[in-house]
Amino acid sequence: MPRLNSEIKEQIKKLDYYDLKDIVLKLASKEKIVYDFVINNYLDKESGEKELFEITKSDLEIIFRKRYKGFSEQLQLANMLRACIKRINEFTKISKNKVLEADLLLHILEIPFSLTTNMFGTCFTQYDTKVAMILNRLINIVTKKLHEDYKIEYEDKINDYLQILHRTSSHIDTVYNLPKAI
């Protein structure tokens, strides 16, 4: 993404109202992220964020059902988790609501932890590492970016997930470096 230097910023500030309006209309019609940003932050401030959350959640459901390349089920799931994180990152570029981001992360973590725990601890460490990285991101949001009251809401699930990972995959550095509990 290009950086705006001071000269460009001054030129943009000198643009008249109608030119700026045309620029926004063109960008919003061509780029989905710009469209979502304008809707969420300027046109529908009350329900835009919640609607964007629901759209992202339904997109994640579609990602869950797709088939992914991989020699084993673990590698296929790791690729699926990678696609989920990519979609959540698109959401976080538009919405800065950390509670909704935490809910989306928890939603995708339900998939690996709903499967048998034998999926962890195999020779396909990419899967364990990806799950640990997502869990670590969730822990950082809950403990550092959200109010203490939210910690109570997420604590039990996160601690259960941590216990499973430490029991099955503690030989992987990413899992070993996770806390035992929050």
Side-chain angles (χ1 to χ4, degrees):
M1 179 171 257
R3 295 266 181 207
L4 296 177
N5 59 29
S6 59
E7 183 180 315
I8 298 293
K9 286 181 183 178
E10 288 302 317
Q11 289 175 347
I12 291 173
K13 287 179 183 176
K14 290 179 183 176
L15 289 173
D16 70 335
Y17 171 76
Y18 295 104
D19 289 339
L20 289 173
K21 209 158 88 171
D22 288 341
I23 290 170
V24 170
L25 286 171
K26 278 183 184 177
L27 287 174
S29 66
K30 292 183 179 184
E31 297 288 331
K32 183 176 177 0
I33 193 166
V34 175
Y35 172 80
D36 289 341
F37 181 80
V38 169
I39 294 291
N40 189 42
N41 293 314
Y42 296 103
L43 301 179
D44 191 8
K45 291 180 181 181
E46 293 174 17
S47 64
E49 196 169 52
K50 192 68 176 166
E51 187 176 320
L52 183 64
F53 172 77
E54 293 301 326
I55 290 169
T56 303
K57 204 169 179 180
S58 67
D59 289 349
L60 289 174
E61 293 297 327
I62 293 168
I63 291 172
F64 294 159
R65 289 191 296 268
K66 284 177 67 177
R67 296 274 305 154
Y68 291 90
K69 290 183 180 179
F71 178 70
S72 68
E73 192 175 354
Q74 287 92 340
L75 294 177
Q76 291 170 2
L77 285 168
N79 289 332
M80 184 263 306
L81 292 173
R82 184 177 293 110
C84 290
I85 288 299
K86 183 178 177 184
R87 181 62 184 101
I88 289 176
N89 289 342
E90 290 172 6
F91 171 82
T92 58
K93 286 179 184 175
I94 298 166
S95 172
K96 301 300 179 197
N97 188 329
K98 294 298 179 184
V99 174
L100 296 179
E101 182 182 354
D103 287 343
L104 289 172
L105 290 171
L106 198 59
H107 182 65
I108 65 171
L109 281 173
E110 288 173 3
I111 298 295
F113 288 105
S114 67
L115 303 171
T116 177
T117 57
N118 293 338
M119 297 285 284
F120 295 112
T122 63
C123 61
F124 304 105
T125 60
Q126 183 181 3
Y127 173 66
D128 301 42
T129 303
K130 186 55 78 178
V131 172
M133 289 170 59
I134 296 169
L135 185 58
N136 190 39
R137 181 174 169 180
L138 177 62
I139 291 169
N140 285 334
I141 291 171
V142 170
T143 58
K144 296 177 182 172
K145 310 250 175 160
L146 294 179
H147 191 270
E148 279 291 314
D149 294 342
Y150 286 108
K151 186 177 177 183
I152 297 167
E153 213 174 290
Y154 296 99
E155 191 172 25
D156 291 337
K157 268 199 175 186
I158 291 174
N159 286 338
D160 290 343
Y161 294 165
L162 284 170
Q163 182 185 18
I164 291 169
L165 275 181
H166 281 294
R167 183 170 31 91
T168 58
S169 306
S170 204
H171 61 284
I172 300 171
D173 288 342
T174 312
V175 175
Y176 182 79
N177 292 333
L178 288 173
K180 301 289 183 202
I182 62 167

